Short mmCIF file of all heavy atoms in Angstrom, two decimals:
data_model
loop_
_atom_site.label_atom_id
_atom_site.label_comp_id
_atom_site.label_asym_id
_atom_site.label_seq_id
_atom_site.Cartn_x
_atom_site.Cartn_y
_atom_site.Cartn_z
N VAL A 238 -74.89 -28.25 82.38
CA VAL A 238 -74.53 -29.51 81.71
C VAL A 238 -73.11 -29.49 81.13
O VAL A 238 -72.37 -30.44 81.21
CB VAL A 238 -75.55 -29.93 80.69
CG1 VAL A 238 -75.19 -31.15 79.91
CG2 VAL A 238 -76.98 -30.20 81.41
N LYS A 239 -72.82 -28.33 80.46
CA LYS A 239 -71.59 -28.22 79.82
C LYS A 239 -70.33 -27.96 80.72
O LYS A 239 -69.25 -28.32 80.33
CB LYS A 239 -71.68 -27.00 78.84
CG LYS A 239 -70.63 -26.93 77.79
CD LYS A 239 -70.85 -25.83 76.79
CE LYS A 239 -69.75 -25.79 75.76
NZ LYS A 239 -70.06 -24.76 74.78
N LEU A 240 -70.50 -27.46 81.89
CA LEU A 240 -69.43 -27.11 82.91
C LEU A 240 -68.40 -28.27 83.08
O LEU A 240 -67.31 -28.13 82.92
CB LEU A 240 -69.92 -26.53 84.10
CG LEU A 240 -68.85 -26.19 85.12
CD1 LEU A 240 -68.01 -25.09 84.66
CD2 LEU A 240 -69.46 -25.70 86.43
N PRO A 241 -69.02 -29.53 83.45
CA PRO A 241 -68.06 -30.61 83.67
C PRO A 241 -67.33 -31.03 82.51
O PRO A 241 -66.12 -31.37 82.47
CB PRO A 241 -69.02 -31.75 84.10
CG PRO A 241 -70.30 -31.12 84.45
CD PRO A 241 -70.38 -29.85 83.76
N LEU A 242 -67.93 -30.93 81.30
CA LEU A 242 -67.19 -31.21 80.01
C LEU A 242 -66.11 -30.20 79.73
O LEU A 242 -64.95 -30.57 79.31
CB LEU A 242 -68.17 -31.18 78.86
CG LEU A 242 -69.25 -32.23 78.87
CD1 LEU A 242 -70.29 -31.98 77.73
CD2 LEU A 242 -68.68 -33.64 78.84
N VAL A 243 -66.37 -28.92 80.00
CA VAL A 243 -65.30 -27.90 79.80
C VAL A 243 -64.09 -28.11 80.71
O VAL A 243 -63.01 -28.01 80.33
CB VAL A 243 -65.92 -26.56 79.96
CG1 VAL A 243 -64.76 -25.44 79.90
CG2 VAL A 243 -66.95 -26.19 78.83
N LEU A 244 -64.41 -28.39 81.98
CA LEU A 244 -63.39 -28.54 82.94
C LEU A 244 -62.60 -29.85 82.67
O LEU A 244 -61.36 -29.93 82.85
CB LEU A 244 -63.94 -28.62 84.38
CG LEU A 244 -64.63 -27.26 84.80
CD1 LEU A 244 -65.24 -27.43 86.18
CD2 LEU A 244 -63.68 -26.10 84.79
N ALA A 245 -63.26 -30.93 82.17
CA ALA A 245 -62.63 -32.19 81.97
C ALA A 245 -61.67 -32.05 80.65
O ALA A 245 -60.65 -32.62 80.65
CB ALA A 245 -63.58 -33.30 81.74
N THR A 246 -62.30 -31.42 79.64
CA THR A 246 -61.49 -31.28 78.36
C THR A 246 -60.60 -30.11 78.27
O THR A 246 -59.75 -29.99 77.39
CB THR A 246 -62.49 -31.30 77.15
OG1 THR A 246 -63.30 -30.09 77.31
CG2 THR A 246 -63.41 -32.48 77.18
N GLU A 247 -60.73 -29.15 79.18
CA GLU A 247 -60.05 -27.88 79.20
C GLU A 247 -60.22 -27.15 77.83
O GLU A 247 -59.35 -26.58 77.30
CB GLU A 247 -58.51 -28.10 79.47
CG GLU A 247 -58.37 -28.60 80.88
CD GLU A 247 -56.87 -28.71 81.24
OE1 GLU A 247 -56.09 -28.52 80.41
OE2 GLU A 247 -56.67 -28.98 82.51
N SER A 248 -61.51 -27.20 77.36
CA SER A 248 -61.79 -26.53 76.16
C SER A 248 -63.28 -26.15 76.10
O SER A 248 -64.11 -26.96 76.41
CB SER A 248 -61.51 -27.41 74.88
OG SER A 248 -62.07 -26.82 73.71
N VAL A 249 -63.54 -24.92 75.91
CA VAL A 249 -64.90 -24.45 75.78
C VAL A 249 -65.49 -24.67 74.38
O VAL A 249 -66.65 -25.02 74.26
CB VAL A 249 -64.99 -22.92 76.08
CG1 VAL A 249 -66.48 -22.34 75.80
CG2 VAL A 249 -64.60 -22.63 77.47
N PHE A 250 -64.67 -24.54 73.33
CA PHE A 250 -65.12 -24.67 71.97
C PHE A 250 -65.35 -26.04 71.48
O PHE A 250 -66.13 -26.33 70.58
CB PHE A 250 -64.17 -23.99 71.01
CG PHE A 250 -64.08 -22.39 71.36
CD1 PHE A 250 -63.04 -21.96 72.06
CD2 PHE A 250 -65.17 -21.64 70.89
CE1 PHE A 250 -62.94 -20.56 72.30
CE2 PHE A 250 -65.13 -20.29 71.09
CZ PHE A 250 -63.98 -19.70 71.88
N THR A 251 -64.67 -27.00 72.07
CA THR A 251 -64.84 -28.47 71.62
C THR A 251 -65.77 -29.29 72.54
O THR A 251 -66.10 -30.39 72.24
CB THR A 251 -63.40 -29.18 71.52
OG1 THR A 251 -62.82 -29.20 72.84
CG2 THR A 251 -62.59 -28.49 70.47
N ALA A 252 -66.09 -28.69 73.69
CA ALA A 252 -67.05 -29.38 74.64
C ALA A 252 -68.46 -29.05 74.20
O ALA A 252 -68.98 -27.94 74.47
CB ALA A 252 -66.80 -29.02 76.04
N ASN A 253 -69.17 -29.89 73.41
CA ASN A 253 -70.45 -29.66 72.89
C ASN A 253 -71.43 -30.65 73.53
O ASN A 253 -71.20 -31.76 73.74
CB ASN A 253 -70.38 -29.68 71.49
CG ASN A 253 -69.87 -28.45 70.87
OD1 ASN A 253 -70.44 -27.43 70.88
ND2 ASN A 253 -68.66 -28.64 70.22
N ILE A 254 -72.68 -30.15 73.71
CA ILE A 254 -73.83 -30.97 74.21
C ILE A 254 -74.88 -31.07 73.09
O ILE A 254 -75.99 -31.53 73.40
CB ILE A 254 -74.28 -30.42 75.52
CG1 ILE A 254 -74.66 -28.87 75.38
CG2 ILE A 254 -73.31 -30.62 76.64
CD1 ILE A 254 -75.22 -28.29 76.60
#
Side-chain angles (χ1 to χ4, degrees):
V238 172
K239 194 173 181 179
L240 181 62
L242 296 173
V243 171
L244 297 177
T246 61
E247 295 186 353
S248 173
V249 174
F250 296 104
T251 59
N253 284 291
I254 52 177

